[in-house]
Amino acid sequence: MSFDLVLFGGTGDLAWRKLLPALFQAFRHGSLPPQGRIIGVARDALSDGDYRALIARRFADVEGEKRPSDEEFERFAALLQYQRMDLSQPEDYALLARRLHERHADTVVMYLATAPALFTTVCEQLGAAGLATPATRVVLEKPLGHDLASNRAINAAVRSVFDERQIFRIDHYLGKPSVQNLLALRFGNALFEPLWRRETVASIEITMAEQLGVEQRGAFYDQTGALRDMVQNHALQLLCAIAMEPPINAHADAIRDEKLKVLRSLSTWTPATLLRDVVRGQYSTGTTACEGVRAYADEDGVAPGSTTETFVALRTEIANWRWAGVPFYIRTGKRLAAREAHIAINFRPTPHAIYRTPLGAANRLVIHLQPRDGLALHLFAAGQEKRGMRISEAQALAPVQLDLDFDQRFGSQRVGAYERLLLDVIAGRLNLFVRADEQEAAWHWVEPIMQAWAEQDARGEGPRPYAAGSWGPSAASALVAREGHTWMEEC
């Protein structure tokens, strides 16, 4: 199968840091169809050779086994071409069309690694240039809009040119091997299904923590914030994977139909729950472990007096028969104590305790997403009895852990998130991509939070400060503690 992949934003940060390394790994693994061509598009005046040299310099920063040898890169570079384009000029699209029509590839992928404000313009120009053919697929990076209205406007504009089956809205979390294993855990094994419900689950925690701050993205992040950047997309997609009903089959729309039901079942926000169940934070100067770290307000590109949140913790419920009454806690933030992403399913205690268990301990299934990829099942077992031990001590249980590290089990050369997603785009598989109605349902759910924060800002009630290197504002611990729960690191 032949393919052309046109990479709009071909000299940008996302292209050289994520997309081109992922395409190289697919090439190295033999997964990339051999009759392929990758065309970088940007405003810079570069030749094909200049572009290859630019990417070679970028690849020199890659560390470890993922760094290509000179011979490997030379073979990969043969796929790379470049075209200078002004994305607002129709004549530049005509030149691109002429280049693509040279060989009529079986599949043409238009990857829009640009600012979302350009999505509408690019898609309209592609349509006008005759480049929106049945063989064309368009990939849209997040964020797709900044609220529900802008999301609907972008989707409407894109759908005026492309059919829904041609639109691949990418969320790289869905390509992570650990998320694929989450779906396999749920729907490929009979062991957990009887336990996956309100009668046995006490609470569910989704944590996505970063140690880094905004780095060089201050201006972008100040217009986005943690709610738009992480909760509206990544966190809610993980929640859907945890809470969805088994689909009737593994086809894309069957899976996405079930995810949509979850999003539409999320508890509706009220003024009381917005005040009680949502914590907004912004990092200040660091703890001892983060001495010298600047506060968010002092980062380059951040507006003076900014109230943009760098931390969100919230509690919600799913109003259906399987999950009614079970609290779902979501937490994400920058400059936290560790780089850690996980989902913790906390089970209810036994109905009648005949053994003593450690205070606050519980059976728990933890799905680790990063930096490690695996599963840990927390159980209790009888400790080894010793001579002279009192009867009460012999009846006490000790926590034990069954740990599965997927990298050790399956090897370190597993397919990365962007590699998997790019190969799925080329193959036309939509399972791991987000449908328009999913996105709209997610925006509809987070919009009351944004509106409540705007009202708080008008009253001078900004985000709660937290020290860089901590786990966020103390109010986040209080959020879960009032129902007798704790975040996983507090157990």
Side-chain angles (χ1 to χ4, degrees):
M1 181 188 78
S2 61
F3 76 92
D4 283 335
L5 193 156
V6 183
L7 185 52
F8 291 87
T11 59
D13 180 71
L14 180 66
W16 68 261
R17 199 166 46 84
K18 295 290 186 183
L19 302 179
L20 286 167
L23 288 165
F24 167 74
Q25 291 302 323
F27 173 80
R28 170 187 270 179
H29 296 156
S31 305
L32 200 65
Q35 300 177 40
R37 183 169 58 165
I38 301 166
I39 304 172
V41 168
R43 295 176 65 98
D44 309 85
L46 301 173
S47 66
D48 289 352
D50 293 336
Y51 187 59
R52 291 165 183 157
L54 172 66
I55 301 305
R57 291 194 296 273
R58 300 296 195 188
F59 273 38
D61 296 332
V62 176
E63 297 179 352
E65 296 179 351
K66 291 188 176 181
R67 183 173 180 173
S69 66
D70 291 344
E71 186 271 335
E72 283 180 317
F73 183 79
E74 185 177 350
R75 289 191 292 113
F76 175 68
L79 307 181
L80 300 179
Q81 298 180 14
Y82 181 80
Q83 178 147 338
R84 182 181 182 276
M85 285 184 66
D86 182 334
L87 299 185
S88 65
Q89 297 302 313
E91 55 269 26
D92 286 356
Y93 290 87
L95 292 174
L96 176 63
R98 193 175 310 154
R99 189 168 196 162
L100 294 175
H101 291 158
E102 290 171 358
R103 65 175 198 146
H104 295 287
D106 297 324
T107 298
V108 179
V109 176
M110 304 292 184
Y111 199 117
L112 274 56
T114 67
L118 294 172
F119 289 174
T120 297
T121 297
V122 173
C123 288
E124 289 174 347
Q125 293 284 4
L126 289 173
L131 289 171
T133 71
T136 307
R137 292 158 192 160
V138 61
V139 184
L140 306 177
E141 270 284 349
K142 77 171 186 72
L144 209 65
H146 58 273
D147 57 13
L148 179 59
S150 58
N151 175 260
R152 283 175 169 165
I154 292 173
N155 275 324
V158 175
R159 283 201 302 264
S160 70
V161 180
F162 296 97
D163 292 337
E164 182 66 31
R165 63 178 178 81
Q166 296 176 280
I167 304 171
F168 291 72
R169 299 172 188 83
I170 198 164
D171 184 332
H172 73 272
Y173 258 72
L174 296 182
K176 288 180 177 289
S178 47
V179 177
Q180 301 312 299
N181 279 313
L182 168 59
L183 296 176
L185 173 79
R186 286 206 57 198
F187 305 132
N189 297 281
L191 179 64
F192 290 109
E193 174 57 26
L195 305 177
W196 220 262
R197 59 193 66 248
R198 62 184 302 275
E199 290 83 3
T200 49
V201 174
S203 67
I204 293 178
E205 170 197 334
I206 299 172
T207 285
M208 295 177 291
E210 300 179 69
Q211 283 185 302
L212 295 176
V214 296
E215 305 307 294
Q216 287 76 46
R217 300 168 67 234
F220 163 78
Y221 195 87
D222 206 41
Q223 299 298 315
T224 307
L227 186 70
R228 292 183 176 95
D229 192 41
M230 297 295 288
V231 176
Q232 183 273 333
N233 39 72
H234 302 327
L236 289 184
Q237 285 294 317
L238 292 178
L239 184 148
C240 287
I242 281 289
M244 63 190 276
E245 294 296 322
I248 58 173
N249 54 45
H251 295 162
D253 279 330
I255 293 171
R256 298 191 291 185
D257 285 345
E258 296 303 331
K259 289 196 293 178
L260 181 61
K261 291 177 185 177
V262 173
L263 292 168
R264 289 176 172 171
S265 299
L266 288 169
S267 294
T268 303
W269 294 109
T270 67
T273 57
L274 285 166
L275 185 63
R276 184 190 67 204
D277 294 340
V278 182
V279 177
R280 175 173 58 147
Q282 186 185 97
Y283 65 81
S284 59
T285 51
T287 62
T288 302
C290 292
E291 287 182 355
V293 169
R294 290 188 292 181
Y296 174 77
D298 298 325
E299 298 279 16
D300 295 337
V302 173
S306 171
T307 59
T308 297
E309 77 287 352
T310 61
F311 176 94
V312 179
L314 60 85
R315 177 200 185 279
T316 188
E317 293 184 13
I318 298 173
N320 63 20
W321 276 41
R322 182 184 289 266
W323 295 114
V326 176
F328 285 73
Y329 300 107
I330 294 174
R331 176 180 58 166
T332 185
K334 290 188 174 295
R335 289 291 186 206
L336 297 181
R339 178 175 176 261
E340 171 70 21
H342 63 255
I343 303 167
I345 292 62
N346 301 301
F347 294 99
R348 297 186 186 278
T350 55
H352 175 64
I354 61 174
Y355 294 101
R356 289 192 301 107
T357 56
L359 184 64
N363 293 142
R364 177 181 296 111
L365 175 66
V366 181
I367 299 111
H368 292 282
L369 306 176
Q370 68 178 27
R372 57 172 300 207
D373 176 10
L375 298 173
L377 183 59
H378 297 252
L379 305 170
F380 297 115
Q384 183 159 359
E385 297 184 17
K386 300 177 182 178
R387 291 178 181 174
M389 181 180 290
R390 296 193 301 271
I391 293 178
S392 60
E393 293 175 332
Q395 292 175 334
L397 299 182
V400 295
Q401 182 173 314
L402 302 178
D403 205 339
L404 175 59
D405 188 312
F406 287 126
D407 287 331
Q408 291 184 5
R409 174 62 181 83
F410 298 113
S412 59
Q413 295 300 316
R414 301 170 68 205
V415 175
Y418 269 109
E419 181 182 350
R420 176 188 294 273
L421 293 170
L422 285 163
L423 291 173
D424 279 0
V425 174
I426 294 170
R429 293 188 291 264
L430 282 159
N431 299 51
L432 302 181
F433 296 86
V434 183
R435 206 166 57 192
D437 50 6
E438 287 182 75
Q439 280 193 332
E440 291 188 10
W443 277 116
H444 184 268
W445 187 74
V446 301
E447 270 212 332
I449 303 176
M450 297 189 295
Q451 293 165 359
W453 287 351
E455 294 169 3
Q456 291 172 13
D457 290 342
R459 298 194 299 266
E461 302 169 5
R464 300 170 185 265
Y466 64 94
S470 69
W471 279 104
S474 58
S477 294
L479 175 71
V480 297
R482 67 169 179 253
E483 294 180 274
H485 303 302
T486 59
W487 298 109
M488 201 170 73
E489 77 279 353
E490 298 172 338
C491 295

PDB file of all heavy atoms in Angstrom, residues 30-41:
ATOM      1  N   GLY A  30       9.613  -2.042  10.710  1.00  0.00           N
ATOM      2  CA  GLY A  30       9.060  -2.660   9.512  1.00  0.00           C
ATOM      3  C   GLY A  30       7.550  -2.536   9.415  1.00  0.00           C
ATOM      4  O   GLY A  30       6.927  -3.212   8.587  1.00  0.00           O
ATOM      5  N   SER A  31       6.938  -1.670  10.261  1.00  0.00           N
ATOM      6  CA  SER A  31       5.479  -1.523  10.267  1.00  0.00           C
ATOM      7  C   SER A  31       4.992  -0.467   9.287  1.00  0.00           C
ATOM      8  O   SER A  31       3.825  -0.478   8.890  1.00  0.00           O
ATOM      9  CB  SER A  31       4.998  -1.138  11.677  1.00  0.00           C
ATOM     10  OG  SER A  31       5.435  -2.065  12.631  1.00  0.00           O
ATOM     11  N   LEU A  32       5.851   0.451   8.903  1.00  0.00           N
ATOM     12  CA  LEU A  32       5.457   1.512   7.986  1.00  0.00           C
ATOM     13  C   LEU A  32       5.401   0.943   6.572  1.00  0.00           C
ATOM     14  O   LEU A  32       6.364   0.321   6.114  1.00  0.00           O
ATOM     15  CB  LEU A  32       6.473   2.657   8.057  1.00  0.00           C
ATOM     16  CG  LEU A  32       6.038   4.025   7.565  1.00  0.00           C
ATOM     17  CD1 LEU A  32       4.917   4.575   8.445  1.00  0.00           C
ATOM     18  CD2 LEU A  32       7.225   4.977   7.543  1.00  0.00           C
ATOM     19  N   PRO A  33       4.277   1.104   5.889  1.00  0.00           N
ATOM     20  CA  PRO A  33       4.207   0.595   4.515  1.00  0.00           C
ATOM     21  C   PRO A  33       5.385   1.101   3.695  1.00  0.00           C
ATOM     22  O   PRO A  33       5.747   2.286   3.769  1.00  0.00           O
ATOM     23  CB  PRO A  33       2.883   1.160   4.000  1.00  0.00           C
ATOM     24  CG  PRO A  33       2.042   1.316   5.234  1.00  0.00           C
ATOM     25  CD  PRO A  33       3.001   1.727   6.309  1.00  0.00           C
ATOM     26  N   PRO A  34       6.027   0.246   2.916  1.00  0.00           N
ATOM     27  CA  PRO A  34       7.289   0.624   2.259  1.00  0.00           C
ATOM     28  C   PRO A  34       7.137   1.702   1.199  1.00  0.00           C
ATOM     29  O   PRO A  34       8.071   2.457   0.956  1.00  0.00           O
ATOM     30  CB  PRO A  34       7.782  -0.705   1.658  1.00  0.00           C
ATOM     31  CG  PRO A  34       6.559  -1.553   1.535  1.00  0.00           C
ATOM     32  CD  PRO A  34       5.659  -1.165   2.664  1.00  0.00           C
ATOM     33  N   GLN A  35       5.994   1.769   0.544  1.00  0.00           N
ATOM     34  CA  GLN A  35       5.817   2.754  -0.526  1.00  0.00           C
ATOM     35  C   GLN A  35       5.233   4.039   0.052  1.00  0.00           C
ATOM     36  O   GLN A  35       4.108   4.431  -0.244  1.00  0.00           O
ATOM     37  CB  GLN A  35       4.913   2.180  -1.617  1.00  0.00           C
ATOM     38  CG  GLN A  35       5.465   0.920  -2.263  1.00  0.00           C
ATOM     39  CD  GLN A  35       4.517   0.350  -3.290  1.00  0.00           C
ATOM     40  OE1 GLN A  35       3.889   1.082  -4.049  1.00  0.00           O
ATOM     41  NE2 GLN A  35       4.387  -0.960  -3.313  1.00  0.00           N
ATOM     42  N   GLY A  36       6.005   4.675   0.914  1.00  0.00           N
ATOM     43  CA  GLY A  36       5.518   5.845   1.615  1.00  0.00           C
ATOM     44  C   GLY A  36       6.326   7.089   1.310  1.00  0.00           C
ATOM     45  O   GLY A  36       7.474   7.028   0.868  1.00  0.00           O
ATOM     46  N   ARG A  37       5.689   8.228   1.574  1.00  0.00           N
ATOM     47  CA  ARG A  37       6.337   9.516   1.404  1.00  0.00           C
ATOM     48  C   ARG A  37       5.836  10.434   2.505  1.00  0.00           C
ATOM     49  O   ARG A  37       4.632  10.492   2.780  1.00  0.00           O
ATOM     50  CB  ARG A  37       6.000  10.075   0.014  1.00  0.00           C
ATOM     51  CG  ARG A  37       6.682  11.378  -0.316  1.00  0.00           C
ATOM     52  CD  ARG A  37       6.534  11.739  -1.783  1.00  0.00           C
ATOM     53  NE  ARG A  37       5.148  11.857  -2.226  1.00  0.00           N
ATOM     54  CZ  ARG A  37       4.767  12.441  -3.369  1.00  0.00           C
ATOM     55  NH1 ARG A  37       5.674  12.927  -4.200  1.00  0.00           N
ATOM     56  NH2 ARG A  37       3.489  12.508  -3.692  1.00  0.00           N
ATOM     57  N   ILE A  38       6.754  11.146   3.162  1.00  0.00           N
ATOM     58  CA  ILE A  38       6.411  12.073   4.240  1.00  0.00           C
ATOM     59  C   ILE A  38       6.815  13.467   3.780  1.00  0.00           C
ATOM     60  O   ILE A  38       8.001  13.730   3.534  1.00  0.00           O
ATOM     61  CB  ILE A  38       7.140  11.701   5.546  1.00  0.00           C
ATOM     62  CG1 ILE A  38       6.774  10.274   5.977  1.00  0.00           C
ATOM     63  CG2 ILE A  38       6.800  12.700   6.654  1.00  0.00           C
ATOM     64  CD1 ILE A  38       7.694   9.704   7.046  1.00  0.00           C
ATOM     65  N   ILE A  39       5.842  14.355   3.664  1.00  0.00           N
ATOM     66  CA  ILE A  39       6.088  15.700   3.142  1.00  0.00           C
ATOM     67  C   ILE A  39       5.883  16.708   4.266  1.00  0.00           C
ATOM     68  O   ILE A  39       4.754  16.922   4.724  1.00  0.00           O
ATOM     69  CB  ILE A  39       5.148  16.019   1.967  1.00  0.00           C
ATOM     70  CG1 ILE A  39       5.286  14.963   0.862  1.00  0.00           C
ATOM     71  CG2 ILE A  39       5.441  17.415   1.417  1.00  0.00           C
ATOM     72  CD1 ILE A  39       4.260  15.101  -0.251  1.00  0.00           C
ATOM     73  N   GLY A  40       6.967  17.306   4.717  1.00  0.00           N
ATOM     74  CA  GLY A  40       6.867  18.356   5.714  1.00  0.00           C
ATOM     75  C   GLY A  40       6.457  19.664   5.067  1.00  0.00           C
ATOM     76  O   GLY A  40       6.969  20.035   4.002  1.00  0.00           O
ATOM     77  N   VAL A  41       5.525  20.359   5.713  1.00  0.00           N
ATOM     78  CA  VAL A  41       5.014  21.629   5.196  1.00  0.00           C
ATOM     79  C   VAL A  41       5.204  22.713   6.251  1.00  0.00           C
ATOM     80  O   VAL A  41       4.846  22.519   7.420  1.00  0.00           O
ATOM     81  CB  VAL A  41       3.515  21.505   4.834  1.00  0.00           C
ATOM     82  CG1 VAL A  41       2.898  22.877   4.584  1.00  0.00           C
ATOM     83  CG2 VAL A  41       3.328  20.600   3.620  1.00  0.00           C
TER      84      VAL A  41
END
